[in-house]
Structure formats: structure tokens, C-alpha cells
Amino acid sequence: MENSSSSWEQTLQDGKLYRHLNSLIVAHLRDNNLTQAASAVASSTMTPLNVEAPPNKLLELVAKGLAVEKDDVFKGTLSTPFGDLGAPVLPSHPGSSVIDFSAVPDIKGASKSFPKHETRHLSEHKNIARCARFSPDGKFVATGSADTSIKLFEVSKIKQMLLPDAKDGPVRPVIRTFYDHTQPINDLDFHPQGTILVSGAKDQTMKFFDISKTNAKRAYRVIQDTHNVRSVSFHPSGDFLLAGTDHAIPHLYDINTFQCYLSANVPEVGPNGAINQVRYSCTGAMYVTASKDGVIRLWDGITANCVRSITGAHGTAEATSAIFTKDERFVLSCGKDSTIKLWEVGSGRLVKQYLGAMHTQLRCQAVFNETEEFILSIDELNNEIVIWDAMTTEKVAKWPSNHVGAPRWIDHSPVEPAFISCGTDRSVRFWKETL
């Protein structure tokens, strides 16, 4: 097991080194006006064309490496010229630090208190509100419905709406409503660097909406798949999009060419392998799928190969959601067996388990708060929002959802103590920490 974990860690380190090198190559070509070559390398390696790098950094490192190599050969030893590169720094999150879930054992009674929140009804769809997603900067949140519409909310207007003495009269937090699908919306995601919202729906399409255009009602770009699109996730570069569908293998699309890539290394999948959720890690090194067959699968973000399958992750029940921690070392999954589990990526072993909430019917989500100190999910039976201390696994709060019937979806802001819930009662609610 230790050798397996060590090998996996080495693979991750190698992957980070390759991505760092690819970034330097793209930047070098671009800065030397070799635009066509830079675009080709960027596209083939899934590296952003506008990646930042100090001028002539690649030349400087090559020169240093050659000097070190020459010196080591002279001494009779050979060391890597890239020893001082280090691993790329993971994206920072305001007010948060990476938590090592394997460092401290579960200690009951040592749990942190989850702050009280106020909640407000924001809007209603004409049918079931099926999904919700915050933008990476936390400035927007979108909801998708069985009525085929998508509502876009501006978080600053939601906060203004929550103020007890709003001076300018009623505030309308819905700033756009998009109508372009013909069947229910399954999932949403925001482009990591732009003002683009993508949706996946039962009509087998992914549609791209420009949220910066105030009069836009319809998509400006459409990708047609061959299956019901159940989940979508942008690569951190913004140039690629993953689609989890009724097909058991994730579909990877180049959003510039619409070309679809499928893994050449296909794991054994039964007839019930439809993907409930697909999510990239924050660097794009990996992605994870949660499937109806109960398997959590980990995929290499560069080769698209399945590198680990956690079979029976939730017994014989469906795995309904799966997300990475910020440091990419763990995956949090939720299933219809009424459990939420934390898995170590390197070994595939179960690290922690969060119990005490019933979810057996809906495509339930389990999400971290913005600091990863807490986990939030839904109790269908009692119609409650349930919160656990992520480290101790202790249930620290449960609140009435204020929905008529259990919420179908929950998503937490990536930057502040606020989350959104939406449900069968068609309503959308915003939750914010009480100061």
C-alpha cells in the first residue's frame, strides 16, 4: 500500500513538473512572437495561451541546467537541472489554508461550531430547481430548472436584498434568465477566467451563455452530444470541458474546435455506469466521476486514463457526487446509502465517514464550506441542512431547510460563508452567515 501511495505521489509530482514545463514553453514561444507554435502547444497540452511567466525564464532555467549538468558530469554525478523549480503553487483561497485530513485522528468533542446563518427566498422557477453553481470569484450564482430555464443571480444584489433597511425599494437579484434548452437542466459551471456560463441538459447538449451581455437570452455556442448530459466541468485553463453523461466514460471537449476525446484506457463498466457527477481538481491534474454503478473513478487530467476505481464506494447504492479537496489529496463523495465519505487519492483508502443524514432518493450533494473546515449536505427524511466538522466527522448543526420538501441541490460559495439551496418546491434560497 505504501509503495502504491508513493508511486501515485510521484506520478502527481511528475505531472506538475510537466505542466510547469509546458507553461514555460508556451510563454517562451508566445513572447517571441511564435504565436502559431504557441497556440499549437497550448492546445495539445491543455495549457492556457495567456499563462504568466517571467520573461526569458525558460532560457534562464535551461542555461542553469546545462551548467549544473556540466559540473555534475565533471564530478562524476548527474543531477536533475530542474531541481530548483519546485511544484506549482495551488490557487489561494481568501481566508483559508489547506487542511491535512490524514494528520489528526477523529476527536469527538473537539469539533468547531458552525456559525449561525440567515436565509432568504430569492426566486422561483416554474418547475423543480435541479442544480446550482457559484462562479469561481463568488460574484455570481446560477440555478437550472426542469422548466428548461437558467437564472443568474448577482451576489452583491442578494446581499443588498438581505439588508433590513434597503433604501432604494425592492432589489431584484436575478440579473439574467436564459431560455435555450428543450429539456431539464442537469448541471452548470462557470468559465474559470471569463464571463461564460455553461449548462448541460437532458436534451443532450451543452450550451454556452455570455453573462456579460445584458440582453442575451440564448446560447452563443452549442455542443451536441450523443447522450443525456448529466454533469459539466471546465478545465482550469478554460479551453476544455468535461461532460458526464449516460455514457460510462467522460467526454472531453475542446471548446474551440468542438472535438471530443475519449479515454483509450477504458475501465470495466457495467450497464449502469451513467455518470452522476464529474469534477476537475483545481489544477486540472485529475478529474473524478461519481457513477450510478456506485463506483468513484479517478482520471489522469493529461492522458484521460482511468488511474483508480473505488468499487462499491457507497455499497450497492449510486454515488451521487464527488469533489476534490484544494490540495488534490482527497475526494469527498456522497451516495444514496446515506453516507458521505472522504477518500485518499493516493491509496484509494477510506479516510473519514460522515453519518446522520438520510439521502436515498435524490441526486444529493456533499460540499465543503469555503475553508474546508465543514461539510454540508441534505437530510431528505427530515428536510434539513446538515453540517459536519470535516476533521472530527461530528455533526455540529442541522437546520430546517425552509423548503417545501427536501432540497435537491446545495452549493457553497468558494470565497465566503454563504451557500445556496434549491429544490422540488421550485424555490431558490440563499444562506449567509449572521454577523
Side-chain angles (χ1 to χ4, degrees):
M1 189 68 74
E2 287 182 5
N3 289 338
S4 173
S5 179
S6 175
S7 174
W8 177 263
E9 294 290 340
Q10 185 58 49
T11 300
L12 283 183
Q13 290 303 317
D14 291 346
K16 289 176 180 178
L17 183 59
Y18 278 119
R19 283 186 292 281
H20 197 159
L21 179 59
N22 291 337
S23 297
L24 292 174
I25 292 170
V26 169
H28 174 76
L29 294 171
R30 181 198 64 212
D31 295 344
N32 284 274
N33 297 318
L34 299 170
T35 309
Q36 189 173 354
S39 297
V41 175
S43 177
S44 62
T45 61
M46 293 193 287
T47 302
L49 186 58
N50 62 348
V51 64
E52 293 184 8
N56 298 319
K57 184 65 175 178
L58 182 61
L59 288 176
E60 177 189 333
L61 288 170
V62 169
K64 285 182 178 179
L66 290 173
V68 170
E69 183 180 26
K70 182 178 179 181
D71 187 49
D72 284 346
V73 168
F74 178 75
K75 293 176 182 176
T77 61
L78 184 62
S79 63
T80 172
F82 298 108
D84 62 344
L85 266 178
V89 179
L90 294 175
S92 61
H93 297 257
S96 69
S97 58
V98 173
I99 296 173
D100 183 0
F101 291 102
S102 63
V104 180
D106 301 350
I107 306 171
K108 302 298 181 186
S111 302
K112 297 177 181 177
S113 299
F114 192 70
K116 291 184 178 179
H117 282 52
E118 58 181 318
T119 182
R120 180 71 65 89
H121 174 275
L122 296 185
S123 183
E124 279 192 9
H125 285 274
K126 295 175 183 176
N127 205 326
I128 295 169
R130 292 171 55 83
C131 57
R133 196 72 174 267
F134 276 91
S135 61
D137 58 9
K139 293 181 179 178
F140 301 97
V141 64
T143 58
S145 171
D147 67 11
T148 74
S149 74
I150 299 166
K151 289 180 183 283
L152 180 70
F153 301 82
E154 190 170 348
V155 173
S156 62
K157 290 191 174 183
I158 296 175
K159 291 178 181 175
Q160 189 180 344
M161 178 184 176
L162 292 174
L163 294 174
D165 52 348
K167 297 175 182 177
D168 301 323
V171 178
R172 290 182 56 83
V174 180
I175 60 171
R176 310 270 190 284
T177 303
F178 301 108
Y179 302 93
D180 209 10
H181 283 284
T182 59
Q183 292 191 45
I185 314 295
N186 287 322
D187 199 11
L188 300 161
D189 198 14
F190 285 86
H191 191 281
Q193 287 116 21
T195 54
I196 305 303
L197 174 68
V198 68
S199 55
K202 286 189 175 183
D203 59 13
Q204 303 184 357
T205 66
M206 287 150 279
K207 301 204 171 186
F208 297 76
F209 302 89
D210 187 342
I211 66 174
S212 67
K213 295 184 177 177
T214 56
N215 296 322
K217 298 285 185 186
R218 300 198 176 276
Y220 74 94
R221 175 175 288 181
V222 179
I223 294 179
Q224 181 70 54
D225 201 272
T226 53
H227 295 75
N228 169 22
V229 182
R230 305 171 64 85
S231 184
V232 288
S233 182
F234 269 116
H235 186 274
S237 70
D239 291 329
F240 296 87
L241 180 71
L242 276 171
T245 72
D246 282 344
H247 186 214
I249 308 303
H251 297 181
L252 176 61
Y253 285 92
D254 183 321
I255 67 169
N256 299 304
T257 65
F258 288 7
Q259 186 171 354
C260 180
Y261 302 91
L262 292 177
S263 173
N265 172 27
V266 180
E268 248 184 67
V269 182
N272 199 25
I275 295 170
N276 280 321
Q277 190 165 80
V278 60
R279 291 291 184 261
Y280 267 112
S281 65
C282 64
T283 65
M286 295 173 287
Y287 50 96
V288 62
T289 54
S291 301
K292 296 189 78 165
D293 60 7
V295 183
I296 301 294
R297 294 182 176 90
L298 296 163
W299 307 76
D300 187 296
I302 296 176
T303 66
N305 289 333
C306 181
V307 293
R308 187 179 299 283
S309 294
I310 304 174
T311 306
H314 290 274
T316 57
E318 291 183 31
T320 52
S321 76
I323 55 174
F324 285 95
T325 53
K326 294 170 190 171
D327 64 2
E328 304 181 318
R329 292 181 57 204
F330 303 93
V331 162
L332 183 73
S333 71
C334 182
K336 288 188 177 181
D337 62 344
S338 297
T339 68
I340 297 165
K341 297 180 178 181
L342 190 73
W343 307 89
E344 187 176 57
V345 169
S347 64
R349 73 181 177 93
L350 178 63
V351 178
K352 296 181 186 293
Q353 189 166 217
Y354 308 87
L355 305 173
M358 291 290 293
H359 35 89
T360 60
Q361 302 298 319
L362 304 176
R363 193 159 53 113
C364 186
Q365 310 294 300
V367 297
F368 286 105
N369 75 324
E370 81 283 6
T371 62
E372 294 190 340
E373 294 174 287
F374 298 97
I375 291 165
L376 293 79
S377 193
I378 294 157
D379 187 319
E380 294 172 3
L381 185 64
N382 297 305
N383 192 10
E384 292 174 331
I385 307 290
V386 183
I387 301 101
W388 294 263
D389 182 299
M391 186 64 77
T392 67
T393 74
E394 189 175 2
K395 187 159 61 172
V396 294
K398 56 179 182 176
W399 300 329
S401 77
N402 289 286
H403 287 273
V404 179
R408 294 181 67 94
W409 201 280
I410 188 170
D411 194 48
H412 201 284
S413 168
V415 298
E416 63 179 332
F419 63 93
I420 198 112
S421 61
C422 57
T424 308
D425 62 356
R426 307 178 299 176
S427 70
V428 180
R429 300 194 71 89
F430 186 81
W431 303 69
K432 179 179 175 294
E433 181 178 330
T434 306
L435 299 177

